[in-house]
Amino acid sequence: MISCVCRSLACFLLPLSLFGQNRIGTGEVQQLFNQLCASCHGENLEGGLGRSLITEDWIRINSELSFNDYVKQGSVDEGMPPFGDVLSHAQLRSLEIYIQEVRHKAERAGKTLVAESNGVYEAGGYRFRLETMVEGLAIPWSLAFLPDGALLITERSGALRVFREGELLPPVKGTPKVWKHGQGGLLEVALHPDYKDNGWIYIGLTSSGGERDGKAQGMTKVVRGRLQDNQWIDEELIFEVPFEWHRSAGVHFGTRFVFKDGYLFFGIGDRGAMEMAQDLSRPNGKIHRIHDDGRVPKDNPFRAESNAYPTIWAYGNRNPQGLDLHPQTGAIWESEHGPRGGDEINIIEVGNNYGWPVITHGINYNGKPIADATSAPGMEQPKHYWTPSIAVCGIDFYEGDRFPNWKYDLFAGGLASKELHRLQIEGQNVVSDGIILKDVGRVRDVASGPDGYLYVVLNGPDRIVRLVPVD
Ligand code: HEC
């Protein structure tokens, strides 16, 4: 039993070493906050002696001074004590995320972010309606536009669907068998940039190479084929990894395609094995580059390294869920699921290490810290991140003319948050993040349509809608 007359802060803090782990959700971080911070900032973070941590902007903590450093060193003149001697890096990280989460909830409570009345929404400087385009789908995942005005839709269960002239056709016959496992299934669909001439349609799916230790194993795979009378024909294998790299986990398959200069770029998530994202001999946790016919480019960045997986273009990615080319700069922008907190928007460049799991702005879902660093030399910082996570999914640059002020803005869907975000970009930076849709469903994908409207793929209820401006 530790007993002490608590006059000094250090004495009061002594039992803290008993907190081996600080896990959000178990009450431990809240307890830590209540013990150390609530006396001045209030149990509900509403402020008291110190400022409210939820309703007021932070002043000292900014791009130069991190939360960790500020709380470590305090601001003695203003009455904020230093905690550097008593809190570990991991404890500080969990406190930061705890505060962000409470702050986020408070911001949302009772506040409608997107105004809606009689089916007219108002956000991002426009008034618009949601026009339901396709219903009767089961977990639609991705969307592509055929030149004749039809939509091509993947359903995670394995069906490729065509929606033409108001009619949802039965599943395309002859598409490859998918491994329906957890987050896996039929995922991405995209047309080759020269589709009009060559008819190639690319799909990303999960496929199982068989069992190991009594468990089915699988991995992300890419094929291309053509469509004729609602039949999948001429299939060619574009990318597949050897069975030894298949894994049993049902998570983090990545995909999403970008075509650029004759190459195909796509991501594979860490497949639930985070440390492998840093292992260049493994295909998971990476962004890959191959020729559009599947050949491995000779000049891929790690090809000269004997052990490296030859298609790797960049690494340290947890679970890439969105990929798009900036229409003006040609840069590849990526969205990536973080853990609890720490969803990211990155610009993918050759050979870069995006840091997972060595650095992250997130923590584990069970509240345990993952990494105690948010930055490190030689590892890229995201262009934008969300804490708490929105469960960021598909992304797309808007290229239409129906919402002129949105042109070349990056739209990003959130599954857990049920939000559609609009990010304004200047050069290489995200300069604003606004919410355009809220609570109309989990936003799986977003796509700028050739008709100039913005299309959104929603799960729950499963449907595809488009945003149509109203005067
Ligand atoms: C003895 C009172 C006291 C305690 C205990 C205390 N704070 Fe503070 N805190 C302050 C005061 C005072 C300020 C700055 C002046 C103000 O805004 O009122 C401040 C400011 C802050 C800020 C705002 C920084 C900014 O950029 O504006 C944060 C964040 C913060 N504290 C976090 C914490 C955390 C986390 C703990 C617990 C580990 C904690 N504080 C414990 C008094 C306290």
Side-chain angles (χ1 to χ4, degrees):
M1 170 90 203
I2 303 161
S3 70
C4 58
V5 185
C6 276
R7 292 251 157 70
S8 79
L9 200 57
C11 171
F12 173 54
L13 293 172
L14 210 60
L16 268 183
S17 53
L18 301 175
F19 290 86
Q21 218 96 57
N22 292 96
R23 297 171 51 172
I24 292 188
T26 59
E28 286 172 30
V29 181
Q30 189 176 5
Q31 206 176 333
L32 190 62
F33 183 90
N34 287 346
Q35 266 198 7
L36 299 183
C37 322
S39 52
C40 296
H41 292 293
E43 284 218 356
N44 300 313
L45 286 62
E46 74 281 18
L49 248 178
R51 67 176 51 227
S52 161
L53 293 179
I54 47 178
T55 55
E56 291 172 51
D57 287 336
W58 296 356
I59 315 165
R60 311 274 174 236
I61 298 168
N62 53 38
S63 53
E64 264 113 70
L65 187 65
S66 69
F67 175 93
N68 270 24
D69 289 339
Y70 175 79
V71 179
K72 265 196 227 160
Q73 72 199 39
S75 171
V76 180
D77 290 348
E78 289 174 313
M80 165 74 189
F83 289 90
D85 292 344
V86 287
L87 288 174
S88 70
H89 215 68
Q91 287 174 317
L92 286 161
R93 289 282 302 123
S94 29
L95 276 172
E96 177 177 11
I97 291 172
Y98 170 72
I99 294 171
Q100 301 277 25
E101 287 191 359
V102 177
R103 188 180 171 103
H104 194 72
K105 276 187 204 136
E107 270 169 15
R108 300 205 157 194
K111 186 168 153 193
T112 326
L113 290 150
V114 181
E116 190 261 346
S117 81
N118 295 328
V120 176
Y121 295 79
E122 200 168 338
Y126 287 103
R127 285 157 48 77
F128 55 86
R129 288 182 292 111
L130 289 190
E131 209 171 276
T132 300
M133 301 300 291
V134 192
E135 284 174 304
L137 296 162
I139 317 189
W141 212 89
S142 178
L143 169 70
F145 302 92
L146 288 164
D148 66 357
L151 305 179
L152 206 50
I153 304 152
T154 54
E155 291 180 306
R156 199 169 68 186
S157 61
L160 181 65
R161 310 290 297 262
V162 177
F163 179 81
R164 181 173 284 126
E165 289 163 5
E167 193 193 351
L168 181 64
L169 304 181
V172 171
K173 288 206 185 87
T175 53
K177 186 172 186 291
V178 301
W179 187 45
K180 277 186 262 178
H181 185 51
Q183 300 166 358
L186 181 57
L187 306 175
E188 173 72 331
V189 59
L191 305 188
H192 188 280
D194 300 326
Y195 173 83
K196 278 189 184 148
D197 298 325
N198 62 29
W200 285 124
I201 296 167
Y202 287 66
I203 55 182
L205 62 143
T206 59
S207 143
S208 172
E211 284 192 4
R212 193 191 303 123
D213 305 329
K215 274 188 182 170
Q217 314 283 324
M219 201 54 166
T220 310
K221 177 176 167 178
V222 181
V223 303
R224 70 179 179 187
R226 296 189 172 98
L227 202 56
Q228 195 182 68
D229 303 330
N230 217 36
Q231 282 266 352
W232 181 251
I233 57 167
D234 301 341
E235 180 175 302
E236 288 181 5
L237 176 66
I238 296 297
F239 178 87
E240 182 178 51
V241 311
F243 180 61
E244 60 175 316
W245 303 132
H246 283 217
R247 297 187 52 80
S248 62
V251 297
H252 305 176
F253 295 98
T255 74
R256 302 291 183 195
F257 300 149
V258 148
F259 291 93
K260 188 182 173 184
D261 305 332
Y263 299 106
L264 172 65
F265 295 84
F266 61 94
I268 300 182
D270 68 11
R271 302 288 290 104
M274 55 169 105
E275 67 290 347
M276 292 180 189
Q278 291 292 319
D279 179 351
L280 286 173
S281 71
R282 301 266 182 172
N284 39 332
K286 312 291 177 336
I287 304 290
H288 297 265
R289 183 183 77 150
I290 53 179
H291 288 288
D292 58 12
D293 59 2
R295 282 173 303 124
V296 182
K298 291 204 172 62
D299 58 349
N300 267 358
F302 303 107
R303 240 197 124 164
E305 290 176 31
S306 57
N307 241 341
Y309 204 87
T311 53
I312 296 175
W313 181 250
Y315 65 111
N317 304 95
R318 184 174 181 271
N319 192 21
Q321 288 287 290
L323 214 56
D324 197 23
L325 275 190
H326 191 289
Q328 291 166 302
T329 66
I332 299 173
W333 288 66
E334 179 236 22
S335 70
E336 181 169 324
H337 260 204
R340 178 169 175 157
D343 283 359
E344 296 183 356
I345 296 282
N346 292 299
I347 297 183
I348 300 297
E349 282 172 359
V350 55
N352 276 358
N353 180 355
Y354 292 87
W356 175 255
V358 181
I359 56 167
T360 172
H361 291 272
I363 58 168
N364 270 312
Y365 291 109
N366 65 8
K368 264 193 217 167
I370 292 167
D372 63 0
T374 54
S375 66
M379 297 189 184
E380 302 306 311
Q381 278 297 302
K383 294 294 164 195
H384 190 65
Y385 67 91
W386 287 275
T387 300
S389 300
I390 63 169
V392 67
C393 212
I395 59 172
D396 205 52
F397 284 100
Y398 178 67
E399 294 176 67
D401 292 317
R402 310 266 181 184
F403 299 95
N405 294 337
W406 292 355
K407 194 137 186 167
Y408 306 139
D409 291 345
L410 183 66
F411 285 80
L415 287 168
S417 67
K418 301 183 182 163
E419 289 165 355
L420 178 67
H421 285 244
R422 168 186 171 230
L423 306 180
Q424 289 174 284
I425 312 281
E426 271 173 25
Q428 296 233 315
N429 298 310
V430 174
V431 293
S432 80
D433 173 4
I435 295 171
I436 296 297
L437 277 180
K438 172 81 188 152
D439 288 335
V440 294
R442 291 151 57 77
V443 182
R444 180 70 68 176
D445 199 13
V446 52
S448 181
D451 54 9
Y453 296 115
L454 188 66
Y455 284 70
V456 185
V457 177
L458 297 169
N459 289 178
D462 293 335
R463 64 203 197 283
I464 291 169
V465 301
R466 65 178 183 190
L467 275 58
V468 178
V470 292
D471 306 322

